[in-house]
Amino acid sequence: MLCVYCGKEAGETKDHVPPKCLLPRPFPPNLLTVPSCVACNGGSSKDEEYFRLMIVGLMCHTPEADLLFDGPVSRSMDRNGRIEDLMFGSLRPADTAVILDVEYPRIFRVAEKIARGLEFATTGAAYPVEQEFEVEFNEVEGGSSETTFGPAFTHRRLIGGPSGWEFTLFDSVRFVVQHAQ
């Protein structure tokens, strides 16, 4: 079987969808996995850690997200002070609000990887490697309509209009990943 992400290499490892770093322990027994080559599976770990830091660490405000922040995220910051600097350096004041200034390409790469993984895990077919996506995200209250991993991660397939996936992390941040028009 080929890697669902690059389509070039043998999918000799199993990649978790969503990445396990986004979920609290104990992990759900029904975690999805997809075939991935070593390069695609391990090559996105820094982006996934950044995603966890920015999205879960700064935008998710539930008790479950707090446990993830107080545990693995805090331990990462203790081990590497640059991570804490990266997180708090992304916040800047503006009039009556605080603006989160993120590296959007890194966030979008992880969101696209999750959508590609969901597509394969639920249909058995990989998106074409050349498929481009549009990614949007915003803060919300409540998960998507299909619950898979409790409040930590919900998802649903988009039907009508551009196809793709909607997923929500910790009932707080919703991503919409659609085929580019």
Side-chain angles (χ1 to χ4, degrees), residues 29-50:
N30 59 341
L31 254 176
L32 302 173
T33 60
V34 296
S36 174
C37 68
V38 173
C40 288
N41 194 343
S44 59
S45 60
K46 288 200 183 292
D47 284 345
E48 289 169 357
E49 185 173 352
Y50 179 83

Side-chain angles (χ1 to χ4, degrees), residues 101-124:
D101 190 16
V102 300
E103 295 176 36
Y104 286 99
R106 296 179 81 179
I107 300 293
F108 292 172
R109 279 193 298 268
V110 174
E112 180 182 320
K113 186 177 178 194
I114 291 170
R116 286 181 179 278
L118 287 171
E119 182 69 15
F120 185 84
T122 59
T123 68

Side-chain angles (χ1 to χ4, degrees), residues 85-173:
D85 294 342
L86 181 64
M87 182 171 130
F88 292 111
S90 68
L91 301 171
R92 58 185 171 86
D95 295 330
T96 61
V98 175
I99 295 176
L100 178 60
D101 190 16
V102 300
E103 295 176 36
Y104 286 99
R106 296 179 81 179
I107 300 293
F108 292 172
R109 279 193 298 268
V110 174
E112 180 182 320
K113 186 177 178 194
I114 291 170
R116 286 181 179 278
L118 287 171
E119 182 69 15
F120 185 84
T122 59
T123 68
Y127 280 125
V129 174
E130 63 277 359
Q131 176 66 56
E132 294 184 8
F133 296 91
E134 294 175 359
V135 178
E136 296 178 10
F137 67 98
N138 61 307
E139 290 185 275
V140 296
E141 288 186 25
S144 296
S145 59
E146 181 179 320
T147 301
T148 304
F149 305 120
F153 183 82
T154 60
H155 70 275
R156 74 177 181 94
R157 188 174 208 8
L158 298 176
I159 298 172
S163 64
W165 289 90
E166 172 187 287
F167 58 89
T168 306
L169 296 162
F170 295 100
D171 291 340
S172 300
V173 180

